Amino acid sequence: MDSTITSALENSRNSRSTLACLPCRARHVKCDGKQPSCSRCDAGAKQCLYARSRRGGLDRATLAERRKQRAAASQTGSQQAAKKPQSQLVEIDSHSSWSPHDAGSASDGSSMASPAAIQIHADNIANDPLIDSYYRNFHNFHPFLLPRRYLMKLYQDSSRQPSLRPLIAIVRLVGYIFNARGWSIPLKEYAEACLLQAQPRDPVLVQCRLIYSVVLFWYDYKSDAKSQIDAAIHLATDLQMFRQEFAAEQGASDPVVMECWRRTWWILYTVDAYYAGTLGIMTSELLDVDATVDLPCEESEYESGDIPKSRTLQEFDCREFASDETTFSSFAYLIGAVRCAVLALSTSPKMAVKEDSMQVIQAADSILDGWLLLLPKDRKQVMAKTGEVDELMFQAHLLIHVATIGLHRPFSDLKFNPVEDISSCARDPAPDIPTPELVNVHTVRVLRSVDAQIRLLALPVSEFHHTPFTTCMISEGTLALLSACCFLLRGVKLTVARAQIRMTIGCLKALGELWPRTARNVREIQTIAHHVLGLESARNHRTPSSSQVRSGEGQGTLGLDTGAWGDNVDIVPSLSSFEDLCGWYNLDNLDTDYSWEMSNES
């Protein structure tokens, strides 16, 4: 090729690469570099994103927009509530984000989580990569927001944008977590600024605070997560979102929007129960609420907008009397699983004794088995023929089995090892129960539920991708399996169980790549396994408390510090000092406020 042409092409490439927006670069097309949006993106109505200059500094327009953002974030009064940050740019750069492996606490880190800085136009959500990421990665875990295309359509109405702006901001934050495998401080600050500007009784805030609470919690912003979920619950109950009529009142005769509000209540109810299980509490305003909200429809119906006549909770509770095999949605069976788990646990005394063995078998087992036995055939299979996993049924099955494990293990031969106390999923001590007459029944029940969990975790999928609330559910089954390795299994069965433990830890590690709280839990499980299995490395150091096992102090290492659960001491209490491992047994022994206050924040 002629050297002059070659030189010209190289010059062209160089000049284009420094000015081109990210979409044009990705398509390898010429970009005029106009900001905030280039001509090509304007013509195609696409989101225009720019990498920040590597030469340092920002242009005046961007600096001005950044000042506006910071000013908005500092407003705490109602004077700014009516202002619209619609021209505001949110800049996300590599120097203001951190990843699960960068820090052990939720303090703001400064490590690199994303190679390029991008600018997001607050009110331009078409083709937004972060919103795409939310719907691709998180929505199916807790599917209560409007389907993406319906949300886009609704947001085109300028009168609805002030109400939806904080929701969009939080959705972007979640999308960023999955894309960058890290936390964005600018997106967090912008989302909180939008929350401050929202109308305090807007029901959309229930959705905002619910999502925000989940990601805060699993990023170890524990006290902030509690504040957000409390605010969501209080607003939902104040608005009486639990009434059947609420969806119709807020839905503006739109069946998709009405379905969205029904789902919002039930996801709030479900997540609140997940918190109770994860933290070992059972004090909640929602558990005693007499809800009349109709049950959600199938996911495919929701996504298509073809919403059928809704089914009631009363119909679900009387399904055993139906003349034909009545099938409800996956969401309905998840709600049923939550209610069954809560009811089964409530039948067990706070401080179990030997005589309670029969009560667990006769009452709690009947409740949990009733859910399992009435499942239609198509709901017993979590994976479809196409290889897709029904996330809601996955959660429902996992929940039923972890409740079974928690109820039966104290009465079984699967003894509690003192070292289990270092698990952040551990709860109050289990009573030292003498061996009951039906000990074998309890042991078999635990092992069968552990086997059922293993089958769920071993589904042939490309990656383990589920809600972070599965962390403690998986952990409880893993700890029970470790006990079986120590006390019961020998030979080939022991070898298989060890392989299963490797798999469960691998599943937790996959979650830990996104969520620091899960990453810390992985280290705790690894330490427990070393001690329970008698591995050599476990004999050469003292056992840290759960607050001393930090996810951010180096992968595969244990950081020893002073935390909420005490100083550096060996764990040497008797076996009677342990109860359940994930809070699904005798949950109301632990004071709610105390549990939340045991924050892992530095």
Side-chain angles (χ1 to χ4, degrees):
M1 182 180 292
D2 184 89
S3 59
T4 304
I5 297 176
T6 303
S7 177
L9 287 174
E10 289 177 351
N11 291 336
S12 176
R13 290 194 200 100
N14 291 337
S15 62
R16 185 170 66 245
S17 64
T18 59
L19 296 176
C21 67
L22 297 180
C24 288
R25 287 186 182 186
R27 298 193 302 272
H28 302 288
V29 296
K30 187 173 182 180
C31 179
D32 59 17
K34 290 183 179 180
Q35 296 190 28
S37 181
C38 74
S39 300
R40 191 180 295 274
C41 288
D42 274 344
K46 295 180 179 180
Q47 178 72 30
C48 191
L49 308 174
Y50 280 93
R52 190 173 65 172
S53 172
R54 294 175 184 263
R55 295 190 297 269
L58 302 172
D59 59 46
R60 293 181 179 179
T62 304
L63 286 171
E65 295 296 345
R66 174 179 280 188
R67 285 193 291 270
K68 289 181 183 179
Q69 173 195 339
R70 290 175 176 170
S74 66
Q75 295 295 333
T76 58
S78 59
Q79 297 291 330
Q80 301 297 322
K83 292 187 178 181
K84 299 180 181 180
Q86 45 191 357
S87 62
Q88 196 166 50
L89 296 176
V90 182
E91 183 176 89
I92 311 160
D93 60 56
S94 61
H95 301 290
S96 56
S97 60
W98 64 285
S99 69
H101 304 299
D102 294 328
S105 66
S107 58
D108 294 341
S110 60
S111 61
M112 186 171 295
S114 178
I118 60 174
Q119 296 173 344
I120 293 181
H121 297 259
D123 286 339
N124 183 4
I125 66 173
N127 303 309
D128 189 309
L130 300 187
I131 295 177
D132 287 343
S133 176
Y134 174 91
Y135 278 94
R136 185 173 63 254
N137 295 301
F138 189 83
H139 178 68
N140 67 321
F141 295 165
H142 308 289
F144 66 103
L145 294 191
L146 284 170
R148 192 185 191 286
R149 64 191 181 98
Y150 285 93
L151 182 62
M152 298 296 104
K153 180 180 179 181
L154 192 64
Y155 202 76
Q156 291 175 1
D157 183 351
S158 59
S159 66
R160 300 299 302 270
Q161 290 183 6
S163 175
L164 294 174
R165 188 172 291 121
L167 181 62
I168 295 298
I170 290 168
V171 163
R172 281 170 166 154
L173 173 61
V174 179
Y176 180 89
I177 289 172
F178 281 92
N179 275 7
R181 291 296 197 265
W183 184 264
S184 170
I185 296 172
L187 283 180
K188 176 181 184 288
E189 292 175 347
Y190 179 68
E192 292 177 351
C194 290
L195 286 172
L196 287 173
Q197 295 174 350
Q199 294 299 317
R201 289 183 59 81
D202 189 336
V204 173
L205 284 180
V206 175
Q207 300 177 326
C208 298
R209 297 190 185 281
L210 175 54
I211 299 171
Y212 195 28
S213 175
V214 171
V215 296
L216 284 170
F217 182 80
W218 291 102
Y219 253 86
D220 258 340
Y221 290 95
K222 195 174 179 182
S223 60
D224 289 343
K226 177 177 170 24
S227 297
Q228 292 297 328
I229 194 65
D230 285 349
I233 289 172
H234 292 157
L235 179 56
T237 53
D238 286 346
L239 296 174
Q240 296 188 325
M241 194 175 283
F242 50 82
R243 294 182 302 115
Q244 184 184 47
E245 298 80 11
F246 181 85
E249 293 167 358
Q250 298 291 326
S253 300
D254 188 322
V256 177
V257 177
M258 292 167 63
E259 172 71 7
C260 176
W261 289 121
R262 289 191 288 268
R263 287 167 170 260
T264 298
W265 169 262
W266 287 120
I267 287 292
L268 182 65
Y269 177 88
T270 301
V271 167
D272 187 50
Y274 284 172
Y275 273 134
T278 301
L279 294 167
I281 58 177
M282 196 49 77
T283 303
S284 169
E285 298 177 34
L286 300 188
L287 296 178
D288 297 324
V289 170
D290 186 17
T292 58
V293 184
D294 289 341
L295 296 172
C297 63
E298 292 287 2
E299 299 312 297
S300 59
E301 294 169 335
Y302 187 43
E303 290 296 322
S304 68
D306 185 15
I307 310 296
K309 185 180 184 299
S310 56
R311 312 286 292 275
T312 67
L313 195 59
Q314 184 177 10
E315 288 179 89
F316 185 84
D317 287 341
C318 296
R319 63 194 183 283
E320 68 270 30
F321 302 119
S323 56
D324 55 351
E325 190 174 274
T326 302
T327 299
F328 291 81
S329 68
S330 298
F331 204 151
Y333 286 109
L334 173 59
I335 296 166
V338 172
R339 295 170 72 233
C340 283
V342 171
L343 180 59
L345 293 164
S346 70
T347 65
S348 180
K350 293 182 178 180
M351 295 300 294
V353 295
K354 177 182 177 181
E355 290 71 26
D356 295 323
S357 166
M358 187 60 68
Q359 172 72 11
V360 170
I361 293 173
Q362 291 179 339
D365 279 1
S366 298
I367 296 168
L368 298 173
D369 284 350
W371 185 89
L372 287 166
L373 292 170
L374 287 178
L375 279 179
K377 293 180 180 179
D378 61 337
R379 299 301 176 192
K380 294 179 181 179
Q381 296 291 331
V382 173
M383 174 171 278
K385 293 180 180 179
T386 58
E388 296 177 353
V389 173
D390 187 329
E391 172 66 22
L392 300 184
M393 289 306 299
F394 180 91
Q395 294 178 33
H397 281 277
L398 205 61
L399 179 59
I400 289 294
H401 292 302
V402 78
T404 303
I405 294 168
L407 284 164
H408 284 277
R409 190 180 171 195
F411 301 97
S412 74
D413 275 332
L414 303 173
K415 304 302 182 183
F416 290 77
N417 192 297
V419 76
E420 291 180 15
D421 188 46
I422 72 170
S423 172
S424 57
C425 289
R427 294 295 159 243
D428 276 356
D432 189 7
I433 301 174
T435 302
E437 294 179 2
L438 298 175
V439 61
N440 291 342
V441 174
H442 296 289
T443 302
V444 170
R445 291 286 292 185
V446 174
L447 292 176
R448 285 184 177 176
S449 284
V450 170
D451 285 343
Q453 281 196 344
I454 294 296
R455 288 195 297 272
L456 288 170
L457 303 184
L459 290 172
V461 294
S462 58
E463 61 177 333
F464 190 80
H465 186 66
H466 299 283
T467 174
F469 283 110
T470 60
T471 296
C472 276
M473 301 183 198
I474 297 170
S475 297
E476 178 158 357
T478 303
L479 293 175
L481 189 55
L482 279 169
S483 180
C485 289
C486 184
F487 293 107
L488 292 180
L489 304 179
R490 298 293 182 270
V492 175
K493 290 185 178 180
L494 176 59
T495 302
V496 171
R498 286 289 303 276
Q500 291 171 337
I501 289 170
R502 293 186 191 101
M503 183 194 69
T504 60
I505 291 177
C507 291
L508 290 172
K509 277 189 171 183
L511 294 178
E513 291 178 1
L514 278 169
W515 311 111
R517 187 178 179 89
T518 304
R520 187 182 71 250
N521 181 261
V522 170
R523 305 194 195 294
E524 295 163 354
I525 295 291
Q526 290 172 326
T527 303
I528 293 168
H530 274 295
H531 283 267
V532 171
L533 299 176
L535 302 182
E536 183 64 28
S537 60
R539 301 189 186 107
N540 297 326
H541 62 77
R542 294 184 298 172
T543 304
S545 68
S546 63
S547 63
Q548 296 164 345
V549 183
R550 298 291 188 178
S551 66
E553 309 209 346
Q555 298 184 40
T557 62
L558 294 174
L560 303 183
D561 59 12
T562 300
W565 285 5
D567 295 328
N568 253 355
V569 292
D570 290 331
I571 305 297
V572 290
S574 67
L575 288 177
S576 64
S577 64
F578 304 98
E579 188 189 42
D580 179 53
L581 307 174
C582 289
W584 288 105
Y585 179 73
N586 287 348
L587 297 179
D588 46 6
N589 287 344
L590 193 61
D591 179 74
T592 305
D593 292 334
Y594 175 72
S595 176
W596 275 104
E597 287 169 1
M598 293 174 65
S599 172
N600 296 305
E601 298 173 6
S602 61

